[in-house]
Each structure stands twice: as C-alpha cells, then as structure tokens.
Amino acid sequence: MNITNNPLLVESTLPYGAPDFSKIDNSHFRDALLKGITQQHTAIEEIVNSTDTATFENTILALEKSGMVLDRVRNVFSALTGAHTNDTLQAVQEEMAPKFSELNDAIYLNDKLFQRVKSLHSAKESLELDAESQKLLEDYFEDFEIAGANLSPEDKETLKSYNSRLATLVNSFNKTLLEANNAGAVVFTQKSDLAGLSEAELKSLENQDGEGWKVPLQNTTQQPLLQSLKKRETREKLFQAAWLRADGTPQDTKTLITEIAELRAKKGALLGFGNYAEWSLQNTMAKVPENVNKMFAGLIPAATTKAKQEAEEIQLMIKKKGGDFILSPWDWNLYADMVRMEKYDLDENQIKPYFELKTVLEKGVFYAAEKLYGITFKVRTNIPTYHEDVLVYELFEENGDPLGLFYGDFFSRPSKRGGAWMGNFVDQSKLYNKKPVIYNVCNYPKPVAGEPALLTYDEVETMFHEFGHALHGFFADQQYPSLSGTSVARDFVEFPSQFNENWALYPAILKNYALHYQTGEQIPQTLIDKIKKSGTFNQGYSLTENLAASNLDMQWHTIGSNFKIEDANAFEKEALRKTGLDVVPAVPPRYRSTYFAHIFGSGYAAGYYSYLWTEMLHHDAYNWFETHGGLTRENGQRLRDMILSRGNTLPLEKMYKDWRGSDAQIEPMLKARGLQ
C-alpha cells in the first residue's frame, strides 16, 4: 500500500488538521483502517515485549500514543457512517466491526500488558506524576480491570467471542434500522390525506421516487407531522409505520435485540456481575442500577399522574371538537396542541417564522456562547465538507487566538441515521498539539430550494443542546486525548448540552435571534410570554415517554445470564407493566425496543437514564446561575474553568460539587417540569 496516496494516512494540511474531503474517497477507508489496526497491534507488541522496566513513558504514554493513526481515520469514518453513509461504507463497517473488537481485546485482555500497567499502578505514589498523568494511569488500570484483565485465559477467550459477536450484531442492528427507517416512509397519493400541512410542507414532501407525497420517519416513536395532520386515518397510518418499522417488516430487529441483550447478560456474568447494567455502570455517577431505579421511583408517580390529567384534558378536547373516539397515541400531539392553543393561545405556526435556522445558529446559539465565554465565530467557505449542506465556522477566543473548527450538518437525508449528535474529526490534546475540529448533526426537514428553513421551538432547543456538547469539546484543555473534552461518563456528558438549552429562552439571547425571516421584526413579547407559560405544558407526557424508554433500557440490561427472552414484544410489555409505565395507554415509550438505537446501536446500553440524571444536574446548575446574576461573562468563565475545560481529569461528583458548592438537588428539575 502506498501511504502517500491515501489522504487518511497522512496529516491533513488544512487548518487544524481538518479532514480534506476534496481528497478523501470511499475506497480509502478500508485500507486506512486496516493500516491503523496493524500499526496499533505493532505498537502494543513493542510495549509488551520491551525488556525495560515499566515506566509511565514506555507503557502508559506509549499505550496512549499507540492508536494515533487509527483514531484519526476512525473519527472521519464514524462521522460519515452516521451522517452520510452508502453501500461501500456499510460494507467496510460490517467487515471492521469484529476487527475493532478484536483489537480492543488484544489490548485490554493482554496479560503481559496488564501486568506492566498494574505494576505502575501499585507504585503510583512514588512515580511523582502530575495530576493529569496520574489520572491517566488510574483510568487505564480501571479500564483493564473492567474489560476483564483479571479473568482466566479460558474466560478471556470466551469474552473475546462475546465481544466479537456483539460488535457484529450491533453493526447489523444499525444497518437494519437505517433500512427500516427508509423503507418505513409513508407515501400518500391523495392531497386530502395530508390536510393540515402548509403548502411549503407539502412541497418539501413531494415524492422524488414517484407520485404523491412521501413522509420520512424520524427515529422517535412520535412523528413531528402528527401535530398537524387533521385526518385521523392518516395519523394512525403514520404512527403505525413508525411503531412497526422494525417489527414484522423485512427489517425486523427483534431477533437482533434479543441476542444482544442475552449476550450482554452473559458478558456481565462472566465479568463477575449479576447483570450487564451492574458491570456497565461502574465508572458512572449512578454507580449501580439501584440508584437509577431509585431515581425512576421518585419520578414515575408524579409523571404518570400528570400524564393522566393531560390525557383527560385531551379527551375533553376531542369531544369538544366533535370526535367520538378514545384517545390513542396518534391523536395526542394534534389535540394536545389544541389544548395548548386554548390554554395559552400558542400556535407553533405563529412561532416558526421567527426561528430561521441560520439566524438561530448565528444570532442565538453562537451569540449566547459569545456572551458567556467570549468566543467569536467566522464563516469558512474554503474548507471542504462531505456534503453540500454542511456549514463550517472557525472559532476564536476573546483575545483572538484560534480555538477550533465547527461543522453544522442540520438537514435529514436517507444516508443519515436518525437523531442528533456531536462528534470530533480532530480531538483536542496538548500531546499532539491539536485543537478540536467538531461537528453537530441534526435531522431537520430540508425546505425546498428558495424556501427558508424554519424550526419548531423543540428543534431550536436541539440546536442549543448539541452545541453544548460542542462547547464541552472546544473548551477541552487536556494533555492526553483519552481524558479530553467529552470523554466523561454518560451520566455527565449530557450535562453541558442540556444546560446550554437554558439560553434558548433567555431574554437577551431570544430577542437577538428570534427575528421574523421576512420582516426582521423581533418576536413579540406576547409570543415569548406564551412560550414561557406553556413551558410546563405536556410535561407529564414528555417525562413519561422518556421514563418508559429509560426503564426499557434498564430492564433489557438487568436480566440474568440464564434468562431467555422468548418474545421481545412480550418482554417490552411486561417491563412497562411492572414499573407502572403502562397506566396511560396513549403515552408510548419515546423509543420502542425494536428501534432503540441508543441502546442497541450505540454506547448508551444501560445508560439512557443519563438524560434524566443530567437533567437534574442542568436544572440545578441553572438555578445557581439564576441566583448569581444569570448570563454574565464571569459566570460563564467560572463554569468553563471549573467544568467545561476539565474533561475527565477529576472525579465528576467532585468537579460538580466544587463548582456548585453542594450536591445537585432534584427540586429544580421537578419545578421546571411543573411537577411540584
């Protein structure tokens, strides 16, 4: 292989080492990934076979550096397989999944390597390491133990087989779910079926593959258009397409998720735990499943009680509008919106003209970051991207020093998986003298050419949320990439992002970006008041659907190693029943098990609860801001210095408590959701 002909295997000459998509081709990834894997294997063998006494430099630092090439390639590969995949990339992904698993096992189940790490850990007090180097040593030692380094040789071989099979299954789940989402799109040939949609919405849905209108599926259970569609048969058809996309269709995932859950349970047992969740939660803030379930128990009664009250109000609205049917999940959003309009006189279509995508981004999301942290932004049109819709900005510190590059990829397309997320093309580290190159991905409906991209308020919050993750990455100030930025526990990583949502409605920020796309007129105070007053509306539903999904995750991952799941749907039904989350039939889980990509397709297995855990943190944190002067540079800098720039260099509970002055309290969260 000629390395110089593969742009992934050489340092990019673009600013910040950003990937040069003008040179990168699909055909480059397989060779680059294989080369990176080979290089890391070789580097690990050199560490293991060294006859020198183990030192921090020749073992821990060498281990940290061992995957430099592979990490660079995987960052780009992961970005594309999530945001703009194709048959070639999917084939490479399928081939590489077990190879990545084998590489991980070759490191963490290598006894000679573990013994070197262990000897350093035992002598850590005498090594005179700086605080971050000591944390790196401790993390590597814990990672080896958690991965199974203390197992017998026979058990290690069993674990390797589990890990390899799981890697293949997870990849198959992701591939199948992408196919299910695309195949599940609903085509309507009669315009009357889509009554309630605007002409602009209809135009954006015109079926490019044939006649009529094609409604694509979002990755959640509820679909955005269910709030507008007036014809009940249409709503039911769209809802059922989402609900059944991977159940009883050619893209059925039930066998996959069942095998994944059972294999994870076996892995947990092999590693000495009662279930997978006990093993998975070791390095989180929650620590054990009991603490997660305790949080659930404190929230479920209040959430379902509120949801029942909301259902009763909606049922009355159905009757008021002449309907003679029992409220079903596909009715909720439409009639809830009517209740909201009656209670608060708030119509989503009144709001959307004030939320044009680029204005929200530049005059809202970026503006808030400037006021809090002093950073500024400049459009870059000379940086190649992987898709024409991607926007690029350069970030600068308050004193003008360069901070990094930001890519925004906001519109949905068939090549993109559902949801919204943040990732790094380039990780920050002083070790490699690297500043971060970060991307945000969302799935907003793309308007037709010439039309503005107008957002719902939920979509505005999503943009603030994902940029909160980006800020966590941009402010990283670590020596080692393994400890940098967002490399923290799942039940802490969502804290900076959820906290950043608070600025969407902050008066000084809102008035700067909520400008009518045609007139430039500032959003009227009457509309702002309505948005705020309706802030606790539908929170019973919102919290219950989230709790239902979070609970499903924990139920799938607390089964014992001998538990056999005969029927995935029956398992799901029973999981909701026994925790009291099925008491409002019109409130389904935010994700059904069959399309729950967070837990069966990515890294949130036994971790979806973290969105609620960090919600507690972010409301508590915002409460601190409210009592200390609100949005000020001083407050922003304090948060940056004490949390956002610290990466994973301190125990997370200590980091939060040092900043806050106390442990987080749940009361601000309950108050914010109107549940107190």
Short mmCIF file of all heavy atoms in Angstrom, two decimals, residues 401-446:
data_model
loop_
_atom_site.label_atom_id
_atom_site.label_comp_id
_atom_site.label_asym_id
_atom_site.label_seq_id
_atom_site.Cartn_x
_atom_site.Cartn_y
_atom_site.Cartn_z
N ASP A 401 -7.20 34.48 19.74
CA ASP A 401 -6.50 33.22 19.50
C ASP A 401 -7.44 32.19 18.88
O ASP A 401 -8.63 32.11 19.25
CB ASP A 401 -5.95 32.65 20.81
CG ASP A 401 -4.76 33.43 21.34
OD1 ASP A 401 -4.23 34.26 20.58
OD2 ASP A 401 -4.39 33.21 22.52
N PRO A 402 -6.95 31.38 17.94
CA PRO A 402 -7.80 30.35 17.32
C PRO A 402 -8.20 29.28 18.32
O PRO A 402 -7.41 28.89 19.18
CB PRO A 402 -6.93 29.77 16.21
CG PRO A 402 -5.52 30.10 16.61
CD PRO A 402 -5.58 31.39 17.37
N LEU A 403 -9.45 28.81 18.22
CA LEU A 403 -9.98 27.81 19.15
C LEU A 403 -10.29 26.49 18.46
O LEU A 403 -10.11 25.42 19.03
CB LEU A 403 -11.25 28.36 19.83
CG LEU A 403 -11.94 27.49 20.87
CD1 LEU A 403 -11.00 27.15 22.02
CD2 LEU A 403 -13.19 28.18 21.41
N GLY A 404 -10.79 26.54 17.22
CA GLY A 404 -11.11 25.30 16.52
C GLY A 404 -12.05 25.53 15.36
O GLY A 404 -12.40 26.67 15.02
N LEU A 405 -12.48 24.43 14.74
CA LEU A 405 -13.43 24.48 13.62
C LEU A 405 -14.72 23.77 14.00
O LEU A 405 -14.69 22.72 14.67
CB LEU A 405 -12.85 23.77 12.39
CG LEU A 405 -11.85 24.50 11.49
CD1 LEU A 405 -11.47 23.61 10.32
CD2 LEU A 405 -12.39 25.83 10.98
N PHE A 406 -15.84 24.34 13.55
CA PHE A 406 -17.15 23.75 13.82
C PHE A 406 -17.88 23.49 12.50
O PHE A 406 -17.96 24.35 11.64
CB PHE A 406 -17.99 24.70 14.68
CG PHE A 406 -19.43 24.26 14.84
CD1 PHE A 406 -19.75 23.19 15.66
CD2 PHE A 406 -20.46 24.92 14.17
CE1 PHE A 406 -21.07 22.77 15.80
CE2 PHE A 406 -21.78 24.51 14.32
CZ PHE A 406 -22.09 23.43 15.13
N TYR A 407 -18.41 22.26 12.36
CA TYR A 407 -19.21 21.87 11.19
C TYR A 407 -20.65 21.66 11.65
O TYR A 407 -20.89 20.96 12.64
CB TYR A 407 -18.72 20.55 10.60
CG TYR A 407 -17.34 20.55 9.98
CD1 TYR A 407 -16.21 20.88 10.71
CD2 TYR A 407 -17.15 20.19 8.64
CE1 TYR A 407 -14.93 20.86 10.15
CE2 TYR A 407 -15.88 20.16 8.06
CZ TYR A 407 -14.78 20.50 8.83
OH TYR A 407 -13.53 20.47 8.27
N GLY A 408 -21.60 22.24 10.93
CA GLY A 408 -23.02 22.04 11.24
C GLY A 408 -23.72 21.33 10.09
O GLY A 408 -23.75 21.84 8.97
N ASP A 409 -24.26 20.15 10.36
CA ASP A 409 -24.95 19.34 9.34
C ASP A 409 -26.38 19.13 9.83
O ASP A 409 -26.64 18.24 10.63
CB ASP A 409 -24.21 18.01 9.18
CG ASP A 409 -24.83 17.11 8.12
OD1 ASP A 409 -25.84 17.51 7.51
OD2 ASP A 409 -24.33 15.99 7.93
N PHE A 410 -27.31 19.95 9.34
CA PHE A 410 -28.61 20.07 10.01
C PHE A 410 -29.79 19.35 9.35
O PHE A 410 -30.78 19.09 10.01
CB PHE A 410 -28.95 21.55 10.18
CG PHE A 410 -27.97 22.29 11.06
CD1 PHE A 410 -27.11 23.23 10.53
CD2 PHE A 410 -27.88 21.99 12.41
CE1 PHE A 410 -26.20 23.90 11.34
CE2 PHE A 410 -26.97 22.64 13.23
CZ PHE A 410 -26.13 23.60 12.69
N PHE A 411 -29.71 19.03 8.06
CA PHE A 411 -30.90 18.51 7.37
C PHE A 411 -30.89 16.98 7.27
O PHE A 411 -29.84 16.37 7.09
CB PHE A 411 -31.02 19.12 5.98
CG PHE A 411 -31.22 20.60 5.97
CD1 PHE A 411 -30.36 21.43 5.26
CD2 PHE A 411 -32.25 21.19 6.71
CE1 PHE A 411 -30.54 22.80 5.25
CE2 PHE A 411 -32.43 22.56 6.71
CZ PHE A 411 -31.56 23.37 5.99
N SER A 412 -32.07 16.39 7.35
CA SER A 412 -32.20 14.94 7.23
C SER A 412 -32.01 14.52 5.77
O SER A 412 -32.22 15.30 4.85
CB SER A 412 -33.57 14.48 7.74
OG SER A 412 -34.60 15.06 6.98
N ARG A 413 -31.61 13.26 5.60
CA ARG A 413 -31.48 12.66 4.26
C ARG A 413 -31.40 11.15 4.45
O ARG A 413 -31.09 10.68 5.55
CB ARG A 413 -30.24 13.19 3.53
CG ARG A 413 -28.94 13.07 4.31
CD ARG A 413 -27.75 13.63 3.53
NE ARG A 413 -26.58 13.71 4.39
CZ ARG A 413 -26.21 14.81 5.04
NH1 ARG A 413 -26.92 15.93 4.91
NH2 ARG A 413 -25.14 14.80 5.81
N PRO A 414 -31.68 10.39 3.40
CA PRO A 414 -31.69 8.92 3.55
C PRO A 414 -30.36 8.33 3.99
O PRO A 414 -30.32 7.24 4.57
CB PRO A 414 -32.06 8.44 2.14
CG PRO A 414 -32.81 9.58 1.53
CD PRO A 414 -32.17 10.81 2.09
N SER A 415 -29.25 9.02 3.73
CA SER A 415 -27.93 8.48 4.07
C SER A 415 -27.54 8.77 5.51
O SER A 415 -26.43 8.41 5.94
CB SER A 415 -26.87 9.08 3.13
OG SER A 415 -26.83 10.49 3.27
N LYS A 416 -28.42 9.42 6.26
CA LYS A 416 -28.11 9.83 7.63
C LYS A 416 -28.99 9.08 8.61
O LYS A 416 -30.19 8.94 8.41
CB LYS A 416 -28.36 11.34 7.78
CG LYS A 416 -28.01 11.91 9.15
CD LYS A 416 -28.49 13.37 9.30
CE LYS A 416 -27.66 14.34 8.52
NZ LYS A 416 -28.01 15.75 8.85
N ARG A 417 -28.39 8.58 9.70
CA ARG A 417 -29.20 7.93 10.73
C ARG A 417 -30.01 8.98 11.48
O ARG A 417 -29.68 10.17 11.45
CB ARG A 417 -28.35 7.10 11.69
CG ARG A 417 -27.39 7.86 12.58
CD ARG A 417 -26.69 6.89 13.54
NE ARG A 417 -25.56 7.48 14.24
CZ ARG A 417 -25.64 8.13 15.39
NH1 ARG A 417 -26.84 8.32 15.97
NH2 ARG A 417 -24.58 8.63 15.98
N GLY A 418 -31.06 8.54 12.16
CA GLY A 418 -31.94 9.48 12.85
C GLY A 418 -31.29 10.06 14.09
O GLY A 418 -30.29 9.57 14.59
N GLY A 419 -31.88 11.16 14.59
CA GLY A 419 -31.43 11.75 15.84
C GLY A 419 -30.53 12.95 15.64
O GLY A 419 -30.45 13.53 14.57
N ALA A 420 -29.87 13.33 16.71
CA ALA A 420 -28.94 14.46 16.69
C ALA A 420 -27.75 14.11 17.57
O ALA A 420 -27.92 13.49 18.62
CB ALA A 420 -29.64 15.72 17.20
N TRP A 421 -26.54 14.54 17.17
CA TRP A 421 -25.36 14.17 17.93
C TRP A 421 -24.19 15.10 17.62
O TRP A 421 -24.23 15.90 16.69
CB TRP A 421 -24.96 12.72 17.69
CG TRP A 421 -24.54 12.38 16.28
CD1 TRP A 421 -23.27 12.36 15.78
CD2 TRP A 421 -25.40 11.98 15.19
NE1 TRP A 421 -23.28 11.98 14.46
CE2 TRP A 421 -24.57 11.74 14.07
CE3 TRP A 421 -26.78 11.80 15.07
CZ2 TRP A 421 -25.09 11.34 12.84
CZ3 TRP A 421 -27.28 11.40 13.84
CH2 TRP A 421 -26.45 11.17 12.74
N MET A 422 -23.16 14.98 18.45
CA MET A 422 -21.92 15.72 18.27
C MET A 422 -20.78 14.73 18.16
O MET A 422 -20.83 13.63 18.72
CB MET A 422 -21.70 16.65 19.47
CG MET A 422 -20.30 17.20 19.64
SD MET A 422 -19.29 16.16 20.75
CE MET A 422 -17.83 17.19 20.91
N GLY A 423 -19.75 15.09 17.42
CA GLY A 423 -18.57 14.25 17.33
C GLY A 423 -17.35 15.09 16.98
O GLY A 423 -17.45 16.27 16.65
N ASN A 424 -16.18 14.46 17.06
CA ASN A 424 -14.92 15.13 16.74
C ASN A 424 -14.30 14.56 15.48
O ASN A 424 -14.16 13.34 15.36
CB ASN A 424 -13.91 14.96 17.88
CG ASN A 424 -14.14 15.88 19.05
OD1 ASN A 424 -15.23 15.90 19.61
ND2 ASN A 424 -13.13 16.64 19.43
N PHE A 425 -13.90 15.41 14.55
CA PHE A 425 -13.00 14.99 13.47
C PHE A 425 -11.57 14.96 14.00
O PHE A 425 -10.78 14.10 13.64
CB PHE A 425 -13.08 15.97 12.29
CG PHE A 425 -14.31 15.83 11.45
CD1 PHE A 425 -15.09 16.93 11.17
CD2 PHE A 425 -14.67 14.60 10.92
CE1 PHE A 425 -16.22 16.82 10.37
CE2 PHE A 425 -15.81 14.48 10.12
CZ PHE A 425 -16.59 15.59 9.85
N VAL A 426 -11.25 15.96 14.85
CA VAL A 426 -9.92 16.03 15.47
C VAL A 426 -10.13 16.27 16.96
O VAL A 426 -10.85 17.19 17.36
CB VAL A 426 -9.07 17.18 14.87
CG1 VAL A 426 -7.72 17.26 15.57
CG2 VAL A 426 -8.88 17.00 13.37
N ASP A 427 -9.50 15.43 17.79
CA ASP A 427 -9.61 15.56 19.24
C ASP A 427 -8.56 16.55 19.76
O ASP A 427 -7.41 16.55 19.30
CB ASP A 427 -9.39 14.21 19.92
CG ASP A 427 -10.41 13.18 19.48
OD1 ASP A 427 -11.60 13.49 19.52
OD2 ASP A 427 -10.00 12.06 19.10
N GLN A 428 -8.96 17.35 20.74
CA GLN A 428 -8.01 18.25 21.39
C GLN A 428 -7.00 17.45 22.20
O GLN A 428 -7.35 16.50 22.89
CB GLN A 428 -8.76 19.23 22.31
CG GLN A 428 -7.86 20.20 23.07
CD GLN A 428 -7.27 19.64 24.35
OE1 GLN A 428 -7.84 18.73 24.97
NE2 GLN A 428 -6.12 20.14 24.76
N SER A 429 -5.73 17.82 22.10
CA SER A 429 -4.73 17.29 23.02
C SER A 429 -3.45 18.11 22.90
O SER A 429 -3.05 18.49 21.79
CB SER A 429 -4.43 15.81 22.76
OG SER A 429 -3.55 15.65 21.67
N LYS A 430 -2.83 18.38 24.03
CA LYS A 430 -1.53 19.06 24.03
C LYS A 430 -0.43 18.07 23.62
O LYS A 430 0.61 18.48 23.11
CB LYS A 430 -1.25 19.63 25.41
CG LYS A 430 -2.21 20.74 25.82
CD LYS A 430 -1.95 21.19 27.25
CE LYS A 430 -3.00 22.19 27.71
NZ LYS A 430 -2.84 22.53 29.14
N LEU A 431 -0.68 16.80 23.83
CA LEU A 431 0.28 15.77 23.46
C LEU A 431 0.63 15.85 21.98
O LEU A 431 1.79 15.72 21.58
CB LEU A 431 -0.29 14.39 23.80
CG LEU A 431 0.61 13.18 23.55
CD1 LEU A 431 1.82 13.21 24.48
CD2 LEU A 431 -0.18 11.88 23.76
N TYR A 432 -0.40 16.05 21.16
CA TYR A 432 -0.20 16.15 19.71
C TYR A 432 -0.31 17.59 19.21
O TYR A 432 -0.33 17.83 18.00
CB TYR A 432 -1.23 15.29 18.97
CG TYR A 432 -1.17 13.83 19.31
CD1 TYR A 432 -2.32 13.13 19.64
CD2 TYR A 432 0.04 13.13 19.29
CE1 TYR A 432 -2.28 11.77 19.95
CE2 TYR A 432 0.09 11.78 19.59
CZ TYR A 432 -1.07 11.11 19.92
OH TYR A 432 -1.03 9.77 20.22
N ASN A 433 -0.43 18.54 20.15
CA ASN A 433 -0.59 19.95 19.79
C ASN A 433 -1.79 20.15 18.87
O ASN A 433 -1.71 20.83 17.83
CB ASN A 433 0.69 20.50 19.14
CG ASN A 433 0.69 22.02 19.05
OD1 ASN A 433 0.07 22.70 19.87
ND2 ASN A 433 1.36 22.55 18.04
N LYS A 434 -2.93 19.55 19.24
CA LYS A 434 -4.13 19.59 18.41
C LYS A 434 -5.23 20.42 19.06
O LYS A 434 -5.50 20.28 20.26
CB LYS A 434 -4.67 18.17 18.18
CG LYS A 434 -3.76 17.28 17.35
CD LYS A 434 -3.69 17.74 15.91
CE LYS A 434 -2.88 16.76 15.05
NZ LYS A 434 -2.69 17.29 13.68
N LYS A 435 -5.85 21.26 18.25
CA LYS A 435 -7.07 21.94 18.67
C LYS A 435 -8.26 21.19 18.07
O LYS A 435 -8.12 20.50 17.06
CB LYS A 435 -7.06 23.40 18.21
CG LYS A 435 -5.98 24.23 18.91
CD LYS A 435 -6.08 25.69 18.53
CE LYS A 435 -4.97 26.50 19.21
NZ LYS A 435 -5.13 26.54 20.67
N PRO A 436 -9.45 21.31 18.67
CA PRO A 436 -10.58 20.47 18.24
C PRO A 436 -11.22 20.89 16.92
O PRO A 436 -11.33 22.07 16.61
CB PRO A 436 -11.57 20.61 19.40
CG PRO A 436 -11.22 21.91 20.05
CD PRO A 436 -9.75 22.11 19.86
N VAL A 437 -11.62 19.88 16.17
CA VAL A 437 -12.48 20.06 14.99
C VAL A 437 -13.73 19.23 15.26
O VAL A 437 -13.66 18.01 15.37
CB VAL A 437 -11.78 19.59 13.70
CG1 VAL A 437 -12.70 19.78 12.50
CG2 VAL A 437 -10.48 20.36 13.49
N ILE A 438 -14.86 19.92 15.39
CA ILE A 438 -16.08 19.30 15.95
C ILE A 438 -17.26 19.48 15.01
O ILE A 438 -17.36 20.49 14.31
CB ILE A 438 -16.38 19.94 17.33
CG1 ILE A 438 -15.33 19.48 18.36
CG2 ILE A 438 -17.79 19.61 17.83
CD1 ILE A 438 -15.40 20.19 19.70
N TYR A 439 -18.14 18.48 14.98
CA TYR A 439 -19.35 18.60 14.16
C TYR A 439 -20.59 18.33 14.99
O TYR A 439 -20.58 17.59 15.96
CB TYR A 439 -19.30 17.63 12.96
CG TYR A 439 -19.13 16.18 13.32
CD1 TYR A 439 -20.23 15.35 13.56
CD2 TYR A 439 -17.86 15.61 13.39
CE1 TYR A 439 -20.07 14.01 13.88
CE2 TYR A 439 -17.68 14.26 13.71
CZ TYR A 439 -18.79 13.48 13.95
OH TYR A 439 -18.63 12.14 14.26
N ASN A 440 -21.67 19.01 14.61
CA ASN A 440 -23.02 18.73 15.12
C ASN A 440 -23.86 18.21 13.97
O ASN A 440 -23.80 18.75 12.86
CB ASN A 440 -23.69 19.99 15.67
CG ASN A 440 -23.28 20.35 17.10
OD1 ASN A 440 -23.64 21.40 17.60
ND2 ASN A 440 -22.53 19.49 17.76
N VAL A 441 -24.65 17.17 14.23
CA VAL A 441 -25.55 16.60 13.23
C VAL A 441 -26.98 16.64 13.77
O VAL A 441 -27.21 16.27 14.93
CB VAL A 441 -25.16 15.15 12.88
CG1 VAL A 441 -26.10 14.58 11.82
CG2 VAL A 441 -23.72 15.07 12.41
N CYS A 442 -27.90 17.12 12.96
CA CYS A 442 -29.33 17.11 13.31
C CYS A 442 -30.12 16.51 12.15
O CYS A 442 -29.54 16.15 11.12
CB CYS A 442 -29.83 18.52 13.62
SG CYS A 442 -29.04 19.28 15.06
N ASN A 443 -31.43 16.43 12.31
CA ASN A 443 -32.29 15.86 11.27
C ASN A 443 -33.52 16.74 11.05
O ASN A 443 -34.66 16.28 11.15
CB ASN A 443 -32.71 14.44 11.64
CG ASN A 443 -31.77 13.39 11.07
OD1 ASN A 443 -31.82 13.08 9.88
ND2 ASN A 443 -30.89 12.87 11.90
N TYR A 444 -33.29 18.01 10.75
CA TYR A 444 -34.41 18.92 10.46
C TYR A 444 -34.88 18.70 9.02
O TYR A 444 -34.06 18.44 8.14
CB TYR A 444 -33.98 20.38 10.63
CG TYR A 444 -33.39 20.72 11.96
CD1 TYR A 444 -32.35 21.63 12.08
CD2 TYR A 444 -33.86 20.14 13.14
CE1 TYR A 444 -31.79 21.96 13.31
CE2 TYR A 444 -33.32 20.46 14.38
CZ TYR A 444 -32.29 21.37 14.46
OH TYR A 444 -31.75 21.68 15.68
N PRO A 445 -36.19 18.80 8.78
CA PRO A 445 -36.68 18.67 7.40
C PRO A 445 -36.05 19.76 6.51
O PRO A 445 -36.02 20.92 6.89
CB PRO A 445 -38.19 18.88 7.54
CG PRO A 445 -38.50 18.59 8.98
CD PRO A 445 -37.28 19.01 9.75
N LYS A 446 -35.56 19.35 5.36
CA LYS A 446 -34.93 20.31 4.45
C LYS A 446 -36.00 20.99 3.60
O LYS A 446 -36.82 20.33 2.97
CB LYS A 446 -33.92 19.61 3.55
CG LYS A 446 -33.13 20.57 2.66
CD LYS A 446 -32.09 19.84 1.84
CE LYS A 446 -31.33 20.82 0.95
NZ LYS A 446 -30.28 20.15 0.17
#
